Amino acid sequence: MDKETLRLNLETELKRGVQTLAVLSLLKDKQYGYSLLEALALKNMNIEAGTLYPMLRRLETQGLLESSWDLVEARPRKYYSLSQLGEEMLDELMAVYKKMSKDLALWL
Amino acid sequence: MAIGGTMNDLIERYIYDVKRRLKENQRSEIEKELRMNIEDMLNGDHSEDNVKSVLLSLGSPAKLAVNYKEPQYLISPEMFDDYIRVLTIVLIVFASITVIGGVVGAFFSTGSVFESILEVFFGSLIQSLFTGFGITTLIFVGMEAYQKKHKPEFKLDSLPKVPKVESRKNLRVEIIVEMIFSIVFGSIFVFLLLANYGEFTFVLDANTYEYTGQIIQQSVVNVFVPVVIIDMVLSNIIRIIKFKEGGYTLKLGVAYSILELTSLTIITILLLQPNLFNTGFTDLFNQALDIDFANTLGLTVKGIMSVVWIIVLIEQVVMWYRLIKQEKKVI
């Protein structure tokens, strides 16, 4: 494995945990898959489409997200948003994340 | 239009390739969602370049489908190393036995040596390798399924003891291999005993000799089968305890010696009975070959039993030598 691939792998590994946090926090307002992908990219949180779409389904199965199909527009779209459990989990995860980055900032 | 058609075809093929890898009950929902996402990503531009770049950015269908699923495996990564080790040993031994059996068989075969070699390599060898592979895999899949179902909690008590005798061999692998062979050969033996039936036809000097029926006396089989089964079960229980203990303890050594020597004694007494084989069966060979076949067979059985006794006694001596050495070390 060359140095660049290794770095990319480590970076992906490092970002993986935070991705869920970012997705949950952007889903306080309902979004469909592609709009969420773009919103994440705008915030420099580039997640591959092939990773994000399955992740949304997984989070929904875990009860953190709710979804509904909007059939009114020309193209049907599936919108995702935080469930009650998702909101609670997001608050708790945010607290963990903030404490962790504060602690790490002290010595990293 | 032609280009549009081809591009839609590409999208359909992509979706199909993802869909066919998913569980039946997930397919329609994921298909709908994926179609929507692709359309959104295309943003109305169905040109060849755009379709290609969107599909490429989604990555390979196989990888995408995997992301939709819970990880699945028959043998977990934790067990995989042991699986490969056991499999290697089992395959090597199965192959050796088949080749040796084939060479011996070739001597008695009526065909040419070349035919016999072909038969061993393309018939028996492949078959026995698949059998070994199948049995080993089934045992591990069974262990995996058991663990998945019962999710045994990790307990410090269940940690195996450090092997008493330092060895490069992996005790767990060694014991699983021993168990596989004991079960396979024990079962074959019991099966043969239960079948206990043969059809022999000889044509010698224009005379036809025929025998159809039991080979071994039923009364012997009736005692033999339970002895073999009990020995198989008990020796495997001892192996499991041996694994938990990290090797033989004094008590376990005594139990193993008693079991081995008792079952071997019973088997020897049974096999040395003068009426072991059905008289009809021995008479056929007596007449056909004009020899005292019962006597020859008796000598062969005695010969085989002597070899078995020598092997078992050597095994016992080695085991006790190690056990005594290890006990002295402890003291």
Side-chain angles (χ1 to χ4, degrees):
Chain A
M1 197 187 291
D2 64 275
K3 197 178 161 192
E4 185 55 20
T5 322
L6 182 63
R7 195 190 60 79
L8 275 174
N9 284 353
L10 289 172
E11 195 181 315
T12 314
E13 196 84 3
L14 193 61
K15 282 181 176 172
R16 193 165 292 151
V18 200
Q19 281 176 352
T20 316
L21 198 60
V23 167
L24 288 178
S25 88
L26 282 182
L27 284 176
K28 281 178 187 162
D29 302 314
K30 69 173 190 175
Q31 303 237 35
Y32 56 94
Y34 186 60
S35 68
L36 180 61
L37 195 70
E38 285 192 311
L40 286 162
L42 271 177
K43 294 187 184 302
N44 282 329
M45 178 59 84
N46 291 303
I47 301 183
E48 284 177 21
T51 309
L52 179 69
Y53 300 147
M55 186 204 271
L56 289 173
R57 268 192 78 87
R58 235 181 2 255
L59 293 172
E60 188 188 7
T61 321
Q62 290 165 351
L64 300 177
L65 299 182
E66 287 166 347
S67 72
S68 58
W69 280 94
D70 183 350
L71 305 169
V72 181
E73 287 179 53
R75 260 208 319 263
R77 276 196 175 121
K78 191 179 186 183
Y79 282 88
Y80 285 99
S81 61
L82 277 188
S83 66
Q84 181 65 37
L85 178 67
E87 277 178 38
E88 290 167 21
M89 209 54 86
L90 176 63
D91 286 344
E92 287 174 30
L93 282 178
M94 281 303 288
V96 173
Y97 176 75
K98 282 180 180 157
K99 179 169 185 325
M100 196 173 77
S101 44
K102 207 172 95 188
D103 289 348
L104 282 172
L106 287 176
W107 63 274
L108 260 187
Chain B
M1 196 62 205
I3 292 178
T6 322
M7 285 308 107
N8 281 338
D9 186 40
L10 215 51
I11 295 172
E12 289 309 317
R13 278 162 60 193
Y14 186 93
I15 292 174
Y16 169 73
D17 203 15
V18 175
K19 207 172 79 172
R20 71 185 177 94
R21 296 164 201 269
L22 298 170
K23 279 190 192 155
E24 199 79 53
N25 57 2
Q26 294 183 314
R27 285 184 187 169
S28 73
E29 180 78 7
I30 290 179
E31 178 187 354
K32 233 161 90 180
E33 217 175 319
L34 190 57
R35 202 177 285 283
M36 165 199 95
N37 287 325
I38 292 174
E39 285 302 325
D40 280 335
M41 289 165 92
L42 286 170
N43 204 13
D45 175 4
H46 281 76
S47 67
E48 183 176 353
D49 285 348
N50 199 33
V51 169
K52 282 186 176 168
S53 101
V54 163
L55 294 183
L56 283 174
S57 77
L58 276 170
S60 90
K63 213 172 154 192
L64 185 62
V66 165
N67 283 339
Y68 275 111
K69 288 188 284 196
E70 292 286 315
Q72 282 178 314
Y73 32 71
L74 281 178
I75 295 166
S76 65
E78 294 102 89
M79 280 204 190
F80 195 73
D81 281 347
D82 281 348
Y83 169 66
I84 292 295
R85 278 191 208 114
V86 171
L87 192 58
T88 315
I89 300 172
V90 169
L91 291 187
I92 290 173
V93 176
F94 269 54
S96 320
I97 291 174
T98 315
V99 171
I100 293 169
V103 171
V104 174
F107 279 108
F108 298 100
S109 131
T110 46
S112 71
V113 175
F114 180 68
E115 272 174 24
S116 308
I117 290 173
L118 278 186
E119 202 181 302
V120 169
F121 281 93
F122 293 101
S124 335
L125 188 59
I126 293 175
Q127 194 184 7
S128 84
L129 289 182
F130 271 109
T131 310
F133 174 75
I135 292 170
T136 313
T137 309
L138 271 180
I139 288 180
F140 273 86
V141 169
M143 278 159 58
E144 188 67 55
Y146 176 83
Q147 293 210 333
K148 217 181 264 176
K149 195 172 169 199
H150 296 273
K151 294 198 178 70
E153 217 176 294
F154 166 62
K155 286 190 201 120
L156 287 173
D157 287 344
S158 68
L159 283 173
K161 292 187 182 160
V162 175
K164 298 199 163 130
V165 181
E166 290 224 9
S167 155
R168 284 194 300 124
K169 278 192 274 177
N170 180 329
L171 188 65
R172 182 178 159 132
V173 169
E174 198 180 312
I175 286 169
I176 296 178
V177 170
E178 278 177 20
M179 286 176 75
I180 289 178
F181 286 117
S182 119
I183 293 169
V184 170
F185 292 113
S187 309
I188 292 175
F189 199 47
V190 168
F191 176 77
L192 287 178
L193 280 173
L194 288 177
N196 188 24
Y197 182 82
E199 275 182 40
F200 301 91
T201 308
F202 282 107
V203 181
L204 278 177
D205 302 330
N207 291 320
T208 307
Y209 303 91
E210 277 183 65
Y211 176 75
T212 306
Q214 290 194 328
I215 300 169
I216 296 174
Q217 293 282 3
Q218 194 56 42
S219 57
V220 177
V221 174
N222 289 344
V223 189
F224 214 163
V225 171
V227 169
V228 173
I229 294 177
I230 292 171
D231 178 65
M232 193 161 81
V233 172
L234 288 181
S235 65
N236 280 327
I237 291 176
I238 290 179
R239 285 192 185 99
I240 293 170
I241 303 175
K242 177 182 162 192
F243 172 64
K244 285 200 152 187
E245 293 290 333
Y248 279 119
T249 57
L250 265 183
K251 275 185 198 162
L252 213 50
V254 172
Y256 187 61
S257 293
I258 291 175
L259 175 68
E260 283 295 278
L261 299 177
T262 320
S263 52
L264 198 55
T265 308
I266 296 175
I267 290 172
T268 312
I269 293 171
L270 282 175
L271 290 184
L272 291 185
Q273 286 188 70
N275 60 348
L276 174 64
F277 293 100
N278 241 331
T279 41
F281 169 69
T282 45
D283 281 350
L284 167 83
F285 288 91
N286 283 347
Q287 287 171 14
L289 305 171
D290 196 22
I291 52 167
D292 187 353
F293 188 67
N295 190 29
T296 317
L297 213 52
L299 282 177
T300 315
V301 170
K302 276 181 196 157
I304 294 175
M305 284 319 292
S306 315
V307 174
V308 173
W309 269 101
I310 291 170
I311 293 173
V312 169
L313 288 178
I314 290 175
E315 188 206 351
Q316 291 289 325
V317 170
V318 171
M319 182 192 93
W320 280 104
Y321 172 75
R322 283 191 188 161
L323 200 51
I324 291 167
K325 209 168 89 177
Q326 143 206 322
E327 291 298 316
K328 269 187 190 161
K329 227 193 218 171
V330 175
I331 297 163

